[in-house]
């Protein structure tokens, strides 16, 4: 990923790929939620959140491409479809996406990311 203009330098340097898919999607959802919150209220904050979300989408796609063959296709399909819906919502919402449902979609990933895995005492935390 080109790091010029990158807002998530530490994560773009490779740390993002170390997070679980659920942690990546949960973090991405934080930016999606911010963009929804600031739309029509504060253009500068909206624009920053929108751009950060796109950056995280791109890093998530890149991380999914680097995954093993078994899980790559499903993750790529999921992230690319979510990115497409996110962009459509802010570029005219031709699909009629409900903002609340979109935010709740990402919240599920965040909740899963903080649940400890079976036999694990300290769950992986969301990083952004």
């Amino acid at each position: 990923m080109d790091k010029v203009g990158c807002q998530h330098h530490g994560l773009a340097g490779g740390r993002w790929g170390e997070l679980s898919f659920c942690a990546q999607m949960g973090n991405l959802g934080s930016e999606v939620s911010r963009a929804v919150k600031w739309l029509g209220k504060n253009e500068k904050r909206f624009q920053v959140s929108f751009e950060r979300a796109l950056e995280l989408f791109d890093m998530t796609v890149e991380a999914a491409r680097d995954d093993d063959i078994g899980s790559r296709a499903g993750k790529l399909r999921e992230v690319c479809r979510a990115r497409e819906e996110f962009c459509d919502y802010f570029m005219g919402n031709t699909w009629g996406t409900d903002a609340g449902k979109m935010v709740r979609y990402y919240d599920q990933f965040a909740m899963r990311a903080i649940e400890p895995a079976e036999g694990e005492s300290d769950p992986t935390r969301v990083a952004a």
Side-chain angles (χ1 to χ4, degrees):
M1 163 167 260
D2 179 16
K3 295 180 190 171
V4 175
C6 178
Q7 296 182 35
H8 294 94
H9 295 287
L11 294 174
R15 261 192 24 199
W16 188 254
E18 296 171 8
L19 296 174
S20 71
F21 181 70
C22 287
Q24 291 171 353
M25 293 295 282
N27 277 290
L28 207 162
S30 294
E31 293 302 337
V32 169
S33 180
R34 286 183 192 102
V36 167
K37 174 184 176 179
W38 293 115
L39 180 65
K41 295 178 184 171
N42 184 315
E43 183 60 31
K44 183 177 180 181
R45 287 185 180 194
F46 163 73
Q47 193 63 41
V48 167
S49 296
F50 182 80
E51 290 173 8
R52 276 192 284 204
L54 290 177
E55 182 180 13
L56 292 179
F57 273 116
D58 292 345
M59 289 192 305
T60 305
V61 166
E62 190 174 307
R65 282 187 188 136
D66 293 341
D67 267 359
D68 62 37
I69 281 292
S71 62
R72 183 183 317 163
K75 289 178 182 177
L76 282 170
R77 191 170 28 254
E78 185 82 16
V79 175
C80 290
R81 176 68 173 97
R83 187 184 198 283
E84 190 176 15
E85 182 176 41
F86 172 77
C87 290
D88 175 75
Y89 179 78
F90 293 106
M91 303 297 174
N93 200 10
T94 59
W95 296 345
T97 299
D98 177 89
K101 288 181 181 177
M102 184 169 54
V103 169
R104 284 191 299 278
Y105 166 79
Y106 294 99
D107 288 348
Q108 294 175 54
F109 287 103
M111 295 303 294
R112 177 64 185 107
I114 62 173
E115 290 176 2
E118 191 172 320
E120 186 179 278
S121 60
D122 186 24
T124 303
R125 296 290 175 196
V126 180

